[in-house]
Each structure stands twice: as structure tokens, then as C-alpha cells.
Amino acid sequence: DLLLLRFLARHHPQPAQASRAAAAAARLAAASGQLAVARDLLERAERPALSPRDCALLDWADGDILLDAGLLSEATLRHREALDRLEQDRAYDLAATLMRRTADLLLARGLLDEAGRRYREARTLHRRVDDQVGVAASLRGVGDLALASGEVLNADAIYDEADEVLGGSSEAGLERANLRLGQAGLAIARGNVASAEELLYEAEELAGHLPLMRANLARRRADLALRRGGHEEAMELLAEAIPAYQRAGHREAAAAAIRLRGDVAAARGERLEAARHYSLAIAEAVRVGDLIGARRVLEHLLVLERTGHDAERVDELLALREELDGELGHPGWRDSLRLRLS
């Protein structure tokens, strides 16, 4: 709860606990679009009373918030400052985990080159503390990146390497489930439906009790249902996945799932309904600063509108695509795009 965390950030008697509440509150505020509130919470923290580790956590949260605002260079600088603090404190395990999670965020935003750099750094740090599960998770992230880039053979080899690193570890249930999820995506890309279904079942057996995993499984199964013409089933699965992503704060994934809703509607020949879902997906991506995700959905909307022979609407969307391409990294781009989409 944002109000409770803000109260703890300002009034908790222990500075370390107050700073952690501030970081959590800032992330929640940023997720709801309150960037000024988020950064103010971080700036108010009593840094002189904090350990290097707690200062680093504040800096890292600030970096993630800057990333949410589309300010990659500034975010990278703040993350680098935090990493220096953690290395001085020899907190290599925490540094590795934060680096990998930020790589996941960058990958979700389609920033593949930067995500790749972060995964490589995370893998090096995980190896430094002999964390094999962390090494495998970093490798799996690189495999996801390769798959997103269309490098199917490379993704397959990397996933196999991650599987070998995990071995028979009894502590790797969640990471093994995430790996099976990636391998299912690879099977879908290859058109191997039976293999994808088997891999999704294994992921469910390993971690299907977790809300985010359930959302991911529903999203993948909706994709499979669409491919075999199960439109109603796909819509039911997406009705489960989208609110789960939104509750978990994974709004980039929510936008992608809403876009898939548009794909299902388009496959059913429901042009107006498809256009509505695509517009909602673009608005969701814009709301969280996912410019690349917004552009990806816009391509689907353009394909749809071209089938409707509305030249004026197509020209309007082409102009919006040009604006999206030109405004990347500009701090005011989200507000102008909201106006265009309203």
C-alpha cells in the first residue's frame, strides 16, 4: 500500500528500514505514473545514516524509475553508481540480482543491446559468488533475448547451456520453470505445438502456484490457442493473464497481452474490436514508457487499418509512427502521445 509505505519512509525510527520503505514506495508511485512523487521519496531518505548497501538500493530504485521515464543514459549512470557502492561493500550477490532484474526489464522494453550487456555483467557477478542458479538465470535471459531477436538456433543452444548449469539442483524450481517457459516460446516459434504444450505443463508443475507464472502460462497458452484457431479459449486465457500482469506491476507484459487480444479479434474478422484492443495496448505501453512496445503494437494496428481502406486513418497512424521513432529518449514524449491517442 503506497500510503503505508510513504508513512514508514518518513517516520520509521530505523533509517535502514525507512530507506527500504522509501524505495518500495517510490517504485509503486512510479508504476502508477507519479514520477515526481517517486523521486521526491528517494531524495528525502537520510543517506548519511545509511550503509553503502542501503544507499545503493535507493540509487538502483532511482535508476529503474529513470528507466521507466525513458531516460536510459541517466538510468545507466545511476545504476553504475549503485553498483560501485555494492562492490565497495562486497555485496556481489545483491549486485548480480539487481543487474539481472534490470536486464529483464530492458528486455521487456525491447532494448536488446543494453539488456544483453546487463545479462553478461550479471552472469559474471553470479559466477564470482558461485551462484549457479543465478548464472543459469542470466543465461536464460540471454536465450530469451536471442529468441526476441529471431535467432532461434542461438536461443536453443543457450537454453541448453542454462539447463546444464542448473543440473539437478533442488533449489532451482522457479528458475527451471522460467527456463521451460522460454523453451516453450522457442517451440511456438518453430511451430512445434506438442513440444510447447509439454514444456508449459512442466513449468506449471514446477511453479504454477505463483501468480506471475500463472499469468505467463496463460499468455503462452493463449498464443497457442490463437495459432490453432481457438479464439474463445485464447480470449478466456488473456482475461486471466492481463489483470494478473497489471496487479504484479508488469505493465509491459500486460500491453503485449492486450495486443494479442487485438490479434485474436482480427483473426475473428472483428475489425473495430481489434482496433480498440490495439489502441488500449498502445496506451498501456505509453503509460509505462515502453516506446518500443507501443511501436510494435502500432504496426499491428497499421496492418489492420490498411485492410479497411481508410487512407486518412492510415496516414494518421503513419504520422504517429514517425513521432514514436523521433521522440525516443525525449522526456516529454509520453504526454504528447497521450494527447494524440485520446
Side-chain angles (χ1 to χ4, degrees):
D1 182 87
L2 180 56
L3 289 176
L4 176 59
L5 287 170
R6 289 178 70 174
F7 178 84
L8 291 173
R10 291 175 179 171
H11 301 293
H12 199 288
Q14 298 179 15
Q17 295 301 322
S19 72
R20 291 166 192 171
R27 290 181 184 278
L28 275 179
S32 62
Q34 302 176 61
L35 296 180
V37 171
R39 300 209 70 198
D40 180 64
L41 282 163
L42 296 174
E43 289 171 3
R44 287 173 178 268
E46 298 180 16
R47 288 177 178 263
L50 298 176
S51 68
R53 178 186 289 244
D54 286 317
C55 285
L57 287 172
L58 289 172
D59 286 341
W60 206 282
D62 196 23
D64 285 349
I65 289 164
L66 288 166
L67 190 58
D68 278 341
L71 302 171
L72 179 59
S73 297
E74 292 87 340
T76 300
L77 179 61
R78 190 52 54 89
H79 285 152
R80 187 59 53 193
E81 291 171 353
L83 186 61
D84 288 344
R85 291 182 191 273
L86 291 171
E87 289 186 337
Q88 289 169 14
D89 201 42
R90 298 183 181 277
Y92 303 120
D93 53 345
L94 179 58
T97 299
L98 291 171
M99 186 68 73
R100 179 165 45 81
R101 287 178 179 172
T102 301
D104 291 340
L105 176 59
L106 289 161
L107 176 58
R109 294 287 179 89
L111 298 168
L112 304 186
D113 291 342
E114 188 62 29
R117 282 191 286 273
R118 302 293 183 101
Y119 280 129
R120 287 190 291 273
E121 286 190 69
R123 183 172 52 181
T124 298
L125 288 164
H126 280 303
R127 281 177 173 156
R128 191 167 187 173
V129 294
D130 196 25
D131 177 4
Q132 293 301 97
V133 174
V135 171
S138 300
L139 279 168
R140 186 257 310 159
V142 176
D144 293 344
L145 192 157
L147 183 57
S149 303
E151 300 173 6
V152 173
L153 291 177
N154 196 20
D156 196 7
I158 295 168
Y159 286 146
D160 284 347
E161 184 180 355
D163 220 353
E164 289 177 12
V165 171
L166 283 177
S169 173
S170 59
E171 300 176 358
L174 177 57
E175 182 46 41
R176 203 182 304 279
N178 284 326
L179 178 57
R180 295 295 177 262
L181 200 65
Q183 290 172 317
L186 176 62
I188 292 171
R190 286 174 159 169
N192 192 337
V193 172
S195 177
E197 288 176 340
E198 183 178 336
L199 288 160
L200 290 174
Y201 177 77
E202 187 176 346
E204 185 173 27
E205 287 292 295
L206 289 164
H209 60 288
L210 299 174
L212 185 57
M213 178 57 67
R214 286 203 301 272
N216 286 330
L217 289 167
R219 164 69 177 80
R220 292 289 191 198
R221 284 170 172 153
D223 197 354
L224 281 172
L226 173 59
R227 287 166 185 261
R228 61 173 175 258
H231 300 150
E232 290 300 326
E233 180 188 359
M235 283 298 199
E236 289 174 6
L237 288 163
L238 291 169
E240 175 187 348
I242 291 166
Y245 281 136
Q246 291 171 332
R247 285 193 299 270
H250 288 247
R251 293 192 171 270
E252 299 89 348
I258 295 169
R259 185 210 73 211
L260 185 56
R261 254 185 184 164
D263 292 344
V264 176
R268 292 198 296 202
E270 300 172 353
R271 270 193 70 255
L272 291 178
E273 187 69 4
R276 185 177 72 85
H277 288 308
Y278 288 146
S279 295
L280 288 172
I282 292 172
E284 183 80 352
V286 166
R287 187 156 40 244
V288 295
D290 183 9
L291 184 65
I292 294 173
R295 193 190 188 289
R296 189 179 297 122
V297 182
L298 183 57
E299 291 297 328
H300 288 242
L301 183 54
L302 266 168
V303 169
L304 179 74
E305 293 295 350
R306 281 175 174 141
T307 65
H309 308 293
D310 185 343
E312 185 176 343
R313 177 61 171 158
V314 169
D315 287 344
E316 179 185 336
L317 293 174
L318 287 171
L320 180 55
R321 184 175 69 179
E322 186 176 352
E323 183 179 345
L324 278 165
D325 289 341
E327 293 293 333
L328 181 60
H330 190 281
W333 68 268
R334 281 192 290 188
D335 291 334
S336 65
L337 284 177
R338 283 197 188 101
L339 291 173
R340 293 286 302 279
L341 289 165
S342 61

